[in-house]
Amino acid sequence: PMPFELPSKYIQSQSCNSTIMNLYADQVLDAVFDCSKMPSCVITCIGPHKPKLRMVTKECACTGEWIFHSFWLRNIISFIIYIIMNASRVSFIDGLSRVLWRHLHPGGFTVWVNCDASGELLKQKAVECREKRDR
């Protein structure tokens, strides 16, 4: 017992009403091909046109190379512009704050220094120690 019907039964059914299937229905009878009934094929192609194929291949390679170089160059130039813009921004703001520091400060200065437990500056103490040592 086969789980499916023979192919000829499916091809001849109403649900399989295709012009292609109807043309070859007698040749595909039960999936057995009779090669003598198949139409012969006359080969008229002499092969690929080599000059045209060479030209198209060169154009394709040049286009691919152009795309690769354009993406690479675009990313490198974008990165260089990003670095230059950030460096110039930092330099410009630093220079501007050095020139206009009088207009930028709030009127008082906060100084951070290091001192010991008695409140004496460590820098002064280091200078005094050197003076005593040098005597």
Side-chain angles (χ1 to χ4, degrees):
M2 292 191 328
F4 299 105
E5 297 286 335
L6 293 173
S8 61
K9 182 148 181 137
Y10 292 114
I11 290 172
Q12 293 168 356
S13 72
Q14 284 296 89
S15 62
C16 189
N17 193 10
S18 170
T19 54
I20 294 173
M21 292 304 266
N22 288 336
L23 286 175
Y24 296 106
D26 59 333
Q27 296 174 6
V28 187
L29 203 55
D30 297 332
V32 177
F33 289 91
D34 185 4
C35 293
S36 63
K37 291 184 179 180
M38 297 298 284
S40 62
C41 179
V42 179
I43 299 173
T44 58
C45 180
I46 57 172
H49 190 257
K50 292 198 187 260
K52 189 178 281 189
L53 190 61
R54 190 175 295 118
M55 181 188 69
V56 171
T57 304
K58 185 176 179 181
E59 285 179 14
C60 181
C62 289
T63 303
E65 185 179 358
W66 174 80
I67 287 172
F68 173 73
H69 284 126
S70 66
F71 284 138
W72 179 80
L73 197 60
R74 182 190 63 186
N75 290 336
I76 293 296
I77 289 175
S78 297
F79 183 71
I80 289 171
I81 289 173
Y82 174 78
I83 296 296
I84 289 173
M85 290 295 288
N86 274 324
S88 64
R89 176 185 57 90
V90 168
S91 299
F92 178 73
I93 297 298
D94 189 41
L96 199 62
S97 65
R98 288 173 191 255
V99 171
L100 301 174
W101 68 271
R102 287 188 182 96
H103 302 288
L104 295 174
H105 75 86
F109 292 99
T110 303
V111 179
W112 289 41
V113 294
N114 294 329
C115 58
D116 61 6
S118 63
E120 293 183 32
L121 295 177
L122 292 178
K123 191 169 186 178
Q124 276 185 339
K125 207 175 214 184
V127 170
E128 288 173 5
C129 289
R130 279 192 213 138
E131 288 176 359
K132 287 180 185 176
R133 192 177 36 175
D134 291 338
R135 289 184 195 169

